[in-house]
Amino acid sequence: MKEFVISEVKAETAILVGLITQQQNEAKTKEYLDELEFLADTAGAVTVKRFTQKVNAPSMVTYVGKGKLEEIKQYIKAEEEAEREIGMVIFDDELSAKQMRNIEKELNVKILDRTSLILDIFAMRAQTASAKTQVELAQYRYMLPRLQRLWTHLERQGGGSGSGGGKGSVGLRGPGETQLEMDRRIILGRMALLKERLAEIDKQKTTQRKNRGRMIRTALVGYTNVGKSTLMNLLSKSEVFAENKLFATLDTTVRKVVIENLPFLLADTVGFIRKLPTDLVDSFKSTLDEVREADLLVHVVDISHPDFEEQIQVVENTLKELDCADKPSMIVFNKIDSYTFVEKDKDDLTPATKENRTLDELKHTWMARLHDNCIFISARERINIDELRDMIYKKVRELHVQKYPYNDFLYEMIE
């Protein structure tokens, strides 16, 4: 009898590359690379090395300088000689077709940038027809300006008779360029089809939203991995997928929630992230329809994250892009159970930073001006959840009375 040995599948190994510039100091670059490593982990890759370089601006040819690229190349070569193959090199910014082509030629391994990595994760996470269609459209938008890179292995051979292809010659293009043009037409046609399909899905969703009756719509928004899905499960008593990964939720989930006999709709939406190109946001605007049509936005923030204030800014900027910045909103500072601070030495006379403040001290900074528009909770430990329900109830009740003043039945219920 044969014995079958199940071999363990090894995760791909990855190198991360980022730049330190005048606009992005060393500390900021480290934070971005931490996030990039989390993205790589979400995609199933293991980070084994980071490379950074101080420059005034990215190289238009190879992103990093020639010396740094050679250093990365030698590291990859040494790892291969030690039988530790490097699967990919991931760059923290979006690369142009030219940069990708030149980097691949030098390093001879798979090259990804932040955008393509996020797209890979989106493709893994998409479940519904709407999300899958949007992912495919975003992938084609990303691929279109980079098509030429896929055809560098074909020589641009001149053809025909006569002069052999001087300026203005027609019909003398090589097979690579011909195939490139064909692929462009195919992709543009496919994108047009996907846009039509999304328009149809949007019509169906609009009809579904109209059939939901007279209920206030509330949407959970925030940076990715701040605990929106966990909070959704607590408030709606449902089982929405929640995981300590970036973009655990890609498809919008809507649940009916009842607090003190007042029903309303609660939507869990895809998380936002830094350095997300506008084209990518455009592709997912229909996924964010629940945000645009919401009466109340509940902005969830991971207060334990060292850079939570920048994450707040990223979310607010994205909401502006969606024309949702003026909607009624509240901020929920989540994960207070994980908040940490570094106590200053008594002899240290330098100004205190946010890392030196206790949570109580932090609450008395700019957050104090939010008054009743913010609350501090832990969804995981269920701290202040009843207070959160009361706050949401009051805001939903107020919005309901404003929006449906003549809806006698519900009006009696909330009185």
Side-chain angles (χ1 to χ4, degrees), residues 154-411:
L154 293 176
E155 291 181 1
R156 295 181 62 174
Q157 302 164 353
S161 58
S163 63
K167 285 186 180 179
S169 299
V170 179
L172 302 181
R173 297 175 181 140
E177 191 166 351
T178 304
Q179 186 65 53
L180 182 65
E181 290 174 349
M182 286 174 60
D183 285 352
R184 280 183 61 84
R185 283 198 297 271
I186 291 169
I187 287 179
L188 288 170
R190 181 67 181 162
M191 287 173 68
L193 186 65
L194 290 170
K195 287 175 183 176
E196 288 177 13
R197 188 179 297 172
L198 278 177
E200 278 299 313
I201 293 171
D202 285 347
K203 282 182 185 177
Q204 293 170 8
K205 285 187 173 182
T206 301
T207 304
Q208 289 171 1
R209 281 191 285 269
K210 285 179 180 177
N211 292 334
R212 287 175 184 168
R214 291 187 167 187
M215 281 190 280
I216 293 299
R217 297 173 187 173
T218 302
L220 297 173
V221 298
Y223 207 79
T224 183
N225 201 44
V226 294
K228 295 188 301 298
S229 297
T230 304
L231 193 56
M232 176 80 166
N233 290 336
L234 274 178
L235 294 172
S236 65
K237 299 176 182 177
S238 61
E239 292 298 325
V240 175
F241 180 68
E243 187 183 12
N244 187 30
K245 298 280 186 181
L246 299 181
F247 301 113
T249 301
L250 187 58
D251 298 290
T252 301
T253 304
V254 182
R255 294 285 185 269
K256 180 182 175 181
V257 177
V258 180
I259 300 178
E260 295 186 30
N261 293 326
L262 174 61
F264 62 95
L265 296 173
L266 182 65
D268 182 20
T269 62
V270 62
F272 304 138
I273 196 167
R274 290 177 285 203
K275 298 187 178 182
L276 197 60
T278 304
D279 282 350
L280 213 52
V281 175
D282 288 343
S283 296
F284 284 85
K285 276 189 175 175
S286 59
T287 292
L288 295 166
D289 274 345
E290 293 295 340
V291 176
R292 286 203 295 270
E293 298 197 14
D295 301 295
L296 174 67
L297 300 180
V298 179
H299 183 174
V300 185
V301 177
D302 176 4
I303 198 167
S304 69
H305 194 283
D307 208 27
F308 73 89
E309 287 175 309
E310 186 184 348
Q311 292 186 350
I312 290 173
Q313 194 61 53
V314 169
V315 173
E316 289 180 348
N317 289 341
T318 308
L319 290 174
K320 283 179 186 176
E321 288 184 44
L322 296 168
D323 295 324
C324 299
D326 296 330
K327 286 183 177 291
S329 63
M330 58 181 284
I331 296 185
V332 177
F333 292 102
N334 190 23
K335 304 189 184 183
I336 59 172
D337 56 304
S338 301
Y339 182 84
T340 57
F341 72 100
V342 179
E343 191 170 357
K344 278 186 65 179
D345 192 299
K346 291 180 180 179
D347 297 328
D348 187 354
L349 301 178
T350 58
T353 63
K354 62 183 178 184
E355 289 80 12
N356 305 132
R357 293 190 176 106
T358 66
L359 187 57
D360 284 338
E361 288 172 339
L362 194 63
K363 289 178 184 179
H364 288 89
T365 59
W366 59 270
M367 298 172 186
R369 294 193 293 272
L370 296 172
H371 301 295
D372 294 335
N373 277 327
C374 78
I375 188 170
F376 298 81
I377 71 159
S378 168
R380 185 177 64 181
E381 299 298 326
R382 303 195 175 197
I383 299 172
N384 290 341
I385 299 302
D386 287 340
E387 290 81 355
L388 174 62
R389 284 196 177 98
D390 289 343
M391 182 179 287
I392 293 174
Y393 168 78
K394 288 174 184 175
K395 290 187 177 298
V396 170
R397 180 188 182 280
E398 183 181 335
L399 288 168
H400 184 89
V401 172
Q402 291 173 3
K403 193 170 184 179
Y404 307 117
Y406 304 111
N407 190 344
D408 295 334
F409 174 68
L410 279 176
Y411 193 70

Side-chain angles (χ1 to χ4, degrees), residues 46-63:
V46 176
T47 300
V48 295
K49 182 74 172 175
R50 294 182 180 188
F51 287 91
T52 58
Q53 184 179 29
K54 289 184 179 180
V55 293
N56 290 327
S59 164
M60 301 295 287
V61 181
T62 53
Y63 183 72

